[in-house]
Amino acid sequence: MISPLIFINIISPHVERIEIRIPQPGKVEAVQAKRDSNGGWARVQGVERAAVKEIIEIALPFRMLEVSANEEVQFVVSVCRGEEEIERWPARGCLSFEVPTEEFDAIRWCV
């Protein structure tokens, strides 16, 4: 049986994706990919911080995504088996967040 692949498909501000594979229980591999000149995906670099057990955790530095403070990032998460998408979150539309400024922690800090 083919292991599912998880894609974090970034829609905006740049089209790219993070490819996540789980080759065996407890092991995860993640890479950043960008569109190449033929319309396919070219792997750019590995993601250093990723973990899997009951959930998948991944840390993506904003500099890796080439985004700036206050910029909106829109994305969807897809689970695929081979070329077939078997799940998508959210089912319609996309998830988004605003890249925080350097003052983010200080603004939201409370005692």
Side-chain angles (χ1 to χ4, degrees):
M1 182 158 92
I2 299 171
S3 296
L5 300 173
I6 297 112
F7 297 109
I8 301 172
N9 297 297
I10 300 167
I11 301 162
S12 175
H14 315 286
V15 175
E16 60 185 278
R17 74 182 184 187
I18 306 300
E19 301 176 359
I20 303 167
R21 301 176 195 291
I22 304 170
Q24 62 189 39
K27 183 172 169 66
V28 64
E29 299 168 352
V31 296
Q32 178 187 29
K34 294 188 178 200
R35 285 277 186 203
D36 63 21
S37 58
N38 298 321
W41 292 100
R43 293 181 175 179
V44 178
Q45 62 184 315
V47 176
E48 293 180 19
R49 295 181 55 193
V52 64
K53 197 160 188 170
E54 291 181 23
I55 62 169
I56 298 169
E57 296 180 64
I58 187 166
L60 300 172
F62 292 122
R63 70 179 173 283
M64 176 185 246
L65 300 177
E66 299 175 1
V67 294
S68 303
N70 297 316
E71 199 165 18
E72 183 180 34
V73 177
Q74 297 178 335
F75 66 99
V76 297
V77 178
S78 300
V79 178
C80 298
R81 185 165 285 124
E83 296 297 316
E84 180 186 5
E85 183 178 82
I86 55 176
E87 289 191 49
R88 181 185 190 276
W89 299 291
R92 292 193 174 110
C94 62
L95 301 166
S96 67
F97 64 89
E98 191 173 283
V99 178
T101 63
E102 289 185 22
E103 297 84 23
F104 180 79
D105 288 335
I107 292 169
R108 285 165 178 69
W109 179 257
C110 61
V111 178

